[in-house]
Amino acid sequence: MVNVENEVSAVPQDAAPPFALVRGEAFNTLPRDLYIPPDALEVFLETFEGPLDLLLYLIKRQNLEILDISVAEITRQYMVYIELMKGLQLELVAEYLVMAAMLAEIKSRMLLPRPPGVAEGEEGDPRAELIRRLQEYERYKRAATDVEALPQLGRDIFTVSAERPDTQVMRLAPQVSLHEVLLALKDVLTRAEMFSHHHVQREALSVRERMSNILSAVNADNFTEFTTLFTVEEGRQGVVVTLLAVLELIKESLLELIQTDTFSPIYVKVPRQSIQGVSDEFATT
Amino acid sequence: MNSQQLKNIIEAALLAADHPLSVDQLAVLFMPAHPEQSTEDAAPTRDELRQALSVLQQECESRGIELKEVSSGYRFQVKQALAPWISRLWEERAPRYSRALLETLALIAYRQPITRAEIEDIRGVAVSSNIIKTLQEREWVRVLGHREVPGRPALYGTTREFLDFFSLKGLGDLPTLAEISSLDGIPTQMHLNQSEINPMSDNNSPDSNPGSNIVQLYPAANDTKADTNEASAHG
Amino acid sequence: MNSQQLKNIIEAALLAADHPLSVDQLAVLFMPAHPEQSTEDAAPTRDELRQALSVLQQECESRGIELKEVSSGYRFQVKQALAPWISRLWEERAPRYSRALLETLALIAYRQPITRAEIEDIRGVAVSSNIIKTLQEREWVRVLGHREVPGRPALYGTTREFLDFFSLKGLGDLPTLAEISSLDGIPTQMHLNQSEINPMSDNNSPDSNPGSNIVQLYPAANDTKADTNEASAHG
């Protein structure tokens, strides 16, 4: 017998330990139908993925179809393996014992005489549920093999890549919807209770737009002729808006009106100090 | 932009990206960076992009790489016939996966959405948490939702990364589940086989259960499904 | 091994490796795996390898990549001329604008010309310099002039770019305050663009809309369960 002391050293036996213990009795010879090299037995037993896997192995070893299994014979062989696993102190998960109980129950039902008057099929084959489970497991066991055979990245398939060109990560500016801006305004105006005071009105808005336009059109170095600020095509209303804008700008000291003589052309210009302010600001930053 | 330049940009993009690129992702490369900014060149249409991809695919016939469409888009890969030489670039062999992991993965792939208890039911043994964790870390499997039963167990499904890893365009490309002969006189079992042997066949009927969800999760799978079924019906 | 296959293996190897390969490193790929084992094909000589590299180099003229020799060997790289398109693979969308920024922008739009102090007055909190700077960099806001008061504060107004971005012909197109006060919080279509524009944001990823998938999963999942239960009840 091959030396298996190392594998079974956990078995609390002294000199010449038996191969395994079955129901308390020393188990010194392997079952005749187990032709696995003994030193590989433990590894072998551990490869089973559970009771269904072990049963499928036993069925295949007998060259049987799942449908043709003899429950009595399969149960006998199954129990031998269970005892072997116990003897080797493999971690025997509960599922193996549950299956043993199920096999025993099927076996006993197969032995019971069918009650008279009950036609075959009504009671059903006691093996049906076991066969269904074996078939179901077999199906996915094969599927697992099929999946493993698919081309795998790093084993059969190698991805390729080329060196990236010199580039900086482009950072895109966030998207904003007008709706978001308006909601923000609603919030801030609600907070400031601006709605009730009618500080901001549509009319004021177009005057303010015009104020911005005028401010961008004029500068401190040159005089701009007052009349060029008006666009005849805008009609009476446009002229009024521009005039209001100019007056507001003058009130806020953002613009000055210059007329050298009576009836001579009126010019507008940004006050000199204002521009001075710009250069000051740039100088300090 | 002429077709030569379009083709070259696509080739360069697929080789520079570290993951497959879909036609939509390729299209973005040609869109103006800022919506308000217009370009002189009109961006290529989806059809023009597909046309260029097809030309690239043909040109690869005489090359060492091939252009392959997988679930999340197109990628260049080494031709499988050259693997014996190319694999020598790396000293380490690709990892082998345990049977327990592969069986769990297969059950999730073919039976999704599926709970751990259902996997354990079919395999006949407990599924170790490590296996689920490994599958999730590899990004092959993810939680799709929870079954509304006590304990709210997680429902698992596969990801695009899973499909990409195994060079599949969709779940319909998975190998067909084996037909197992049925036992006469066991009607329930027949019924079970018919409805559950091949989850892929369910996809044709819009209201059937697991398949229709999978179609929605993986739109790409939908395209190939009809072909696959037809092919396997003939084969 | 003919020169075509030799060239293809070199092409595949250079593209599969994540670093440049020297001629010596390429030569290793063709050496017999076991010294005692002889191959029918003689391994290519260094000259044959260099010859194949030179052919590959020429063939790249019409492609999107080029074969470059760097200090540690040969590598394929994307042609620099294609960088404007390829670099968009890595572009990222900056985080959303803060509420403070949007409020500031809105006040400048409706109350221009306006100083920072006036904005702070209405908002009730200080306006950070960063906000003004961001708005100026985006070219939505500019300095129109300075108010003639101590400190000569800048007067801010909106720009033509601001109007263009929001598709306004003029400030008069902005809704009136009465219209604004009846606004509800339902966001409009424009944010959708955000996810479509970035090529790296994976629109196809099933994760992008987990909610809707889960809703659809539940009824189906329950159906599956019902089938299973029925089947096992009969079995």
Side-chain angles (χ1 to χ4, degrees), chain B residues 90 123 161 178 193 196 229 235:
Chain B
W90 299 279
R123 293 195 61 231
E161 286 75 16
N193 282 348
E196 298 200 20
N229 283 342

Side-chain angles (χ1 to χ4, degrees), chain C residues 59-71:
Chain C
E59 286 179 356
C60 279
E61 270 169 33
S62 60
R63 290 174 75 175
I65 53 173
E66 58 192 347
L67 181 56
K68 265 271 193 295
E69 188 178 1
V70 294
S71 65

Side-chain angles (χ1 to χ4, degrees), chain C residues 126-144:
Chain C
V127 171
S128 92
S129 302
N130 267 337
I131 286 180
I132 302 284
K133 208 176 122 223
T134 304
L135 288 171
Q136 285 181 302
E137 280 171 358
R138 189 91 202 241
E139 298 191 321
W140 283 350
V141 159
R142 66 200 172 98
V143 174
L144 302 169

Side-chain angles (χ1 to χ4, degrees), chain C residues 47-65:
Chain C
D47 274 349
E48 284 168 332
L49 289 171
R50 283 200 193 85
Q51 176 65 28
L53 283 164
S54 148
V55 174
L56 274 172
Q57 224 149 15
Q58 283 159 30
E59 286 179 356
C60 279
E61 270 169 33
S62 60
R63 290 174 75 175
I65 53 173

Side-chain angles (χ1 to χ4, degrees), chain A residues 49 53 135 137 140 158 162, chain B residues 15 78 99 103 123 181 189:
Chain A
E49 286 296 326
D53 197 25
Q135 287 183 322
Y137 176 62
Y140 290 103
F158 302 96
Chain B
L15 283 169
V78 172
R99 270 185 53 205
E103 286 180 12
R123 293 195 61 231
S181 57
Q189 195 241 326

Side-chain angles (χ1 to χ4, degrees), chain B:
Chain B
M1 176 173 308
N2 61 35
S3 62
Q4 174 73 32
Q5 199 186 3
L6 174 63
K7 200 186 67 188
N8 285 353
I9 292 171
I10 294 175
E11 180 188 31
L14 291 174
L15 283 169
D18 51 6
H19 51 85
L21 296 177
S22 66
V23 171
D24 283 348
Q25 285 170 322
L26 286 169
V28 172
L29 305 182
F30 302 95
M31 278 173 17
H34 303 286
E36 63 267 37
Q37 158 199 327
S38 69
T39 48
E40 326 87 69
D41 273 329
T45 63
R46 299 286 191 280
D47 274 349
E48 285 168 333
L49 289 170
R50 283 200 194 85
Q51 176 66 29
L53 284 163
S54 148
V55 173
L56 275 172
Q57 225 149 14
Q58 283 159 31
E59 286 179 357
C60 279
E61 271 169 33
S62 61
R63 292 197 184 144
I65 56 173
E66 60 188 350
L67 181 56
K68 171 97 178 165
E69 188 183 0
V70 292
S71 168
S72 56
Y74 291 84
R75 75 170 176 222
F76 278 111
Q77 58 188 41
V78 172
K79 279 188 180 158
Q80 229 175 312
L82 303 185
W85 288 274
I86 306 308
S87 60
R88 299 184 67 179
L89 285 170
W90 299 279
E91 284 176 11
E92 277 180 39
R93 299 210 133 263
R96 280 185 61 87
Y97 299 99
S98 71
R99 270 185 53 205
L101 182 136
L102 288 166
E103 286 180 12
T104 305
L105 178 62
L107 276 162
I108 294 174
Y110 284 88
R111 296 283 298 254
Q112 58 189 303
I114 189 171
T115 65
R116 188 157 149 182
E118 288 161 352
I119 298 169
E120 293 175 339
D121 232 33
I122 296 172
R123 293 195 61 231
V125 278
V127 172
S128 96
S129 298
N130 267 339
I131 286 180
I132 300 281
K133 214 178 113 214
T134 304
L135 289 172
Q136 285 183 303
E137 279 170 0
R138 290 236 53 174
E139 297 192 325
W140 286 349
V141 159
R142 67 194 182 99
V143 174
L144 303 173
H146 295 269
R147 201 187 285 296
E148 283 309 319
V149 294
R152 301 189 73 244
L155 285 162
Y156 295 100
T158 52
T159 61
R160 276 184 186 280
E161 286 75 16
F162 160 78
L163 295 171
D164 287 351
F165 185 90
F166 290 100
S167 296
L168 301 167
K169 259 199 271 190
L171 289 172
D173 285 350
L174 280 171
T176 317
L177 272 183
E179 292 283 343
I180 309 277
S181 57
S182 58
L183 181 60
D184 289 336
I186 305 180
T188 53
Q189 195 241 326
M190 292 268 289
H191 160 76
L192 196 79
N193 282 348
Q194 236 78 71
S195 66
E196 298 200 20
I197 270 188
N198 189 349
M200 295 308 114
S201 63
D202 291 346
N203 292 339
N204 292 335
S205 49
D207 54 353
S208 69
N209 12 31
S212 57
N213 285 310
I214 293 160
V215 170
Q216 283 152 352
L217 287 172
Y218 301 95
N222 202 9
D223 300 342
T224 57
K225 201 132 301 150
D227 294 345
T228 317
N229 283 342
E230 206 180 310
S232 59
H234 287 294

